[in-house]
Amino acid sequence: MQTCVLIIGAGATGTALARDLSLRGIDCILVEKGDVNAGASGANHGLLHSGARYIVSDPAAAAECHAENRILKQIAPQCIEDTGGLFVAVQGDDEKYIADFPTACQKCGIPVQPLSPDQARDMEPALSEHVIAAFWVDDAAIDPFKLSLDNLSCAQAHGARLLCRHQVTSFEIRGGRIVCTHVRDLNTDKQFFIEAQVVVNAAGAWADIIARCAGAQMQMYYSKGSLMVTQNRIAKRVINRLRMPTDGDILVPGGTVSILGTTSERVASPDFIYPEIHEIDTILDQGSAMIPKLAQTHYIRAYCGVRPLPAGSEITNPARDPDDRAVSRGYELIDHQDQPEQMANFVSITGGKLTTCRLMAEKTADLVCEKLGIQAVCRTRTEPVPDAAEAKWTKPGLAPAAWVRENRCKEPLLCECEMVPESVVKQIADTFAANQQRPDLKAISLRSRIGKGPCQGTFCSMRIMAYLYDQGYINDRYGTDDLRAFLKERWRGRQPLAWNNGLARAELMEAMHCGLFCLEL
């Protein structure tokens, strides 16, 4: 295969870059070893930062976040719930930080409005009686899956190509240039190569591994963050603890649920991570100080992701900054021509946040254009992201609304928790079949709401698998293996929450799938 630009990694930045390049008329191929948003882009709060969280620890990142917050609200409103946000302090929090907060926000250009504790509790009744200060900011909730799928759909409409479940295995380098990239199709295990004029490494937490394959060095911290999903929505707005960033101090609404987190723990590898019980305990302790009902709320799942944090020239001792909170949350764009390896057509983009993915893509595309000798202006700053039909089913409440509104009540619901009917699963499965690909449960879950309700796939997984077999989308043992992989991933998020109702539901899943179907997980 040949292309102008090869992008490695289909996370928020990679998909935004594919759209940016495509709108500039530049052909590109996007290669991803898993599926869209397989890394940290699909394992975060879904928070569109106002920037206020970083006003003291990283003012530059704070200003960037706020500028991008305003742009994304303009160009991709279908991905955003413009909730607004509160920063609240409780008794015992640092009073100097509270006093300096509005001035620091204003220095970064972030709108802020002081509230009395009573005003804040009127807006969010779940807040603690011990709140002593509160401010309003323009935080929002964003659906990271829809944003990436919408960006990708736009890119593909302009000619970009996506290769999911394709892994980069090596590079062939001659004369200080990558002349071809060797790729393995994980579906068929076949090897082939792609010739590209420029190769962009947007592999997130795996960016340093890709860089080493090309003979380049990149220092990164792997910072794991764990989060918890409540069964019901706790607040209308984003609620942040008014203090220096630490664990368990953000609650973000996500449709019909709320997401509480996060932690920050350095890990040795971005692979084989899972939310741990001590993290859950910390998140609950810290979160319930500002919202007491979080200590008694039922949680349906925990999950985690790894932040790729640029480390500069060397890795510091974890003892000096054990939670890596002092490391910048800004992004790093590396032109490997200027590095010791002097690779003329290799670029890496890493770090940053979901909120700044468009900006990261713009800066990367500018550098790519410079290398290609192309003068093309970025259009993503002002041109709206189309609301893609194939990405619409990620929105909470849309599937049941359509099911009722279109009077399709006789149609079977394959996922009763999120009320996802058979026709939605068929639409998603058909998009895979049209590309000669087999749909799997994880891919359908990413593009809809299946498996995200209280049963966490216990019932809908087997219903959907039976449907896929009946309709001929899959055959042989493929479905059994896929069902096992899906339930194992769900169990990883349920295991640290296995108490009270959570334990009963986990035992029900085990009884059905292990006891009745003999599916050893």
Side-chain angles (χ1 to χ4, degrees), residues 278-289:
H278 74 272
E279 293 178 284
I280 301 303
D281 290 343
T282 299
I283 292 171
L284 284 177
D285 286 345
Q286 295 297 317
S288 59

Side-chain angles (χ1 to χ4, degrees), residues 30-351:
L30 190 54
V31 172
E32 166 59 52
K33 70 176 181 178
D35 201 344
V36 176
N37 279 12
S41 298
N44 54 68
H45 258 120
L47 170 58
L48 186 65
H49 280 281
S50 62
R53 182 169 171 82
Y54 303 113
I55 50 168
V56 173
S57 61
D58 197 342
E64 279 181 357
C65 281
H66 186 253
E68 289 301 304
N69 171 304
R70 301 186 72 171
I71 291 173
L72 285 175
K73 285 179 180 177
Q74 290 293 320
I75 66 170
Q78 73 276 13
C79 303
I80 294 166
E81 183 183 354
D82 198 358
T83 60
L86 301 181
F87 273 75
V88 299
V90 298
Q91 292 174 0
D93 285 341
D94 183 352
E95 294 191 6
K96 184 176 186 309
Y97 190 90
I98 298 169
D100 292 343
F101 182 78
T103 303
C105 283
Q106 290 161 5
K107 285 181 179 177
C108 295
I110 300 170
V112 59
Q113 178 181 338
L115 302 168
S116 71
D118 286 341
Q119 286 176 314
R121 279 190 289 270
D122 286 343
M123 297 167 72
E124 295 294 350
L127 285 174
S128 168
E129 291 295 319
H130 300 297
V131 167
I132 58 172
F135 295 89
W136 174 92
V137 296
D138 57 354
D139 284 332
I142 184 168
D143 181 343
F145 296 103
K146 181 159 181 57
L147 179 65
S148 291
L149 291 171
D150 280 353
N151 274 328
L152 184 60
S153 176
C154 179
Q156 290 177 307
H158 288 79
R161 288 165 282 177
L162 171 67
L163 301 176
C164 280
R165 290 191 54 74
H166 284 67
Q167 184 173 20
V168 170
T169 56
S170 63
F171 297 102
E172 195 172 324
I173 299 167
R174 287 199 295 269
R177 296 181 63 86
I178 296 175
V179 293
C180 73
T181 302
H182 293 260
V183 176
R184 185 170 75 237
D185 183 340
L186 299 178
N187 297 300
T188 63
D189 209 32
K190 290 182 179 177
Q191 297 263 2
F192 64 99
F193 63 88
I194 299 174
E195 294 177 336
Q197 295 179 51
V198 177
V199 176
V200 178
N201 172 16
W206 293 267
D208 58 339
I209 298 171
I210 294 295
R212 284 199 294 274
C213 282
Q217 294 299 314
M218 182 188 297
Q219 301 283 2
M220 285 172 46
Y221 300 110
Y222 304 127
S223 172
K224 184 183 71 167
S226 293
L227 306 101
M228 304 164 66
V229 183
T230 62
Q231 180 161 326
N232 300 304
R233 183 162 171 162
I234 304 297
K236 295 178 181 176
R237 300 165 184 79
V238 177
I239 299 178
N240 307 262
R241 185 83 170 265
L242 181 52
R243 62 182 180 182
M244 287 291 286
T246 185
D247 295 344
D249 54 4
I250 306 179
L251 183 74
V252 179
T256 57
V257 302
S258 291
I259 299 171
L260 175 64
T262 177
T263 55
S264 182
E265 294 191 353
R266 193 181 298 184
V267 292
S269 164
D271 299 305
F272 312 114
I273 58 167
Y274 51 90
E276 298 177 73
I277 292 173
H278 74 272
E279 293 178 284
I280 301 303
D281 290 343
T282 299
I283 292 171
L284 284 177
D285 286 345
Q286 295 297 317
S288 59
M290 58 179 184
I291 303 174
K293 71 184 297 184
L294 289 172
Q296 305 299 324
T297 296
H298 177 58
Y299 295 87
I300 57 177
R301 186 168 179 258
Y303 60 95
C304 61
V306 171
R307 307 176 188 89
L309 303 180
S313 58
E314 63 178 288
I315 299 288
T316 61
N317 188 330
R320 292 168 54 190
D321 182 20
D323 59 6
D324 292 327
R325 296 284 184 190
V327 179
S328 172
R329 265 47 176 172
Y331 68 88
E332 185 174 28
L333 176 60
I334 302 172
D335 182 349
H336 290 278
Q337 187 170 18
D338 300 332
Q339 301 300 307
E341 59 272 13
Q342 295 185 330
M343 199 83 68
N345 64 338
F346 187 44
V347 173
S348 291
I349 177 72
T350 188

Side-chain angles (χ1 to χ4, degrees), residues 275-435:
E276 298 177 73
I277 292 173
H278 74 272
E279 293 178 284
I280 301 303
D281 290 343
T282 299
I283 292 171
L284 284 177
D285 286 345
Q286 295 297 317
S288 59
M290 58 179 184
I291 303 174
K293 71 184 297 184
L294 289 172
Q296 305 299 324
T297 296
H298 177 58
Y299 295 87
I300 57 177
R301 186 168 179 258
Y303 60 95
C304 61
V306 171
R307 307 176 188 89
L309 303 180
S313 58
E314 63 178 288
I315 299 288
T316 61
N317 188 330
R320 292 168 54 190
D321 182 20
D323 59 6
D324 292 327
R325 296 284 184 190
V327 179
S328 172
R329 265 47 176 172
Y331 68 88
E332 185 174 28
L333 176 60
I334 302 172
D335 182 349
H336 290 278
Q337 187 170 18
D338 300 332
Q339 301 300 307
E341 59 272 13
Q342 295 185 330
M343 199 83 68
N345 64 338
F346 187 44
V347 173
S348 291
I349 177 72
T350 188
K353 306 196 66 61
L354 173 64
T355 303
T356 58
C357 66
R358 191 215 61 84
L359 176 66
M360 294 164 66
E362 177 185 339
K363 297 301 182 185
T364 306
D366 286 346
L367 179 57
V368 169
C369 285
E370 182 182 322
K371 287 182 174 295
L372 294 172
I374 294 175
Q375 292 186 337
V377 177
C378 174
R379 294 164 53 186
T380 63
R381 185 176 286 269
T382 56
E383 193 158 319
V385 181
D387 187 358
E390 61 268 31
K392 67 180 180 180
W393 300 116
T394 65
K395 184 177 180 180
L398 180 61
W403 185 68
V404 173
R405 185 175 60 248
E406 297 170 14
N407 196 27
R408 295 185 294 178
C409 296
K410 293 183 179 178
E411 181 186 345
L413 287 173
L414 297 188
C415 173
E416 292 185 342
C417 295
E418 296 287 335
M419 297 183 70
V420 181
E422 183 182 283
S423 58
V424 170
V425 174
K426 183 178 188 307
Q427 283 182 36
I428 297 169
D430 282 345
T431 61
F432 283 85
N435 294 308

Side-chain angles (χ1 to χ4, degrees), residues 372 389 449 480 504:
L372 294 172
R449 300 288 304 168
T480 309

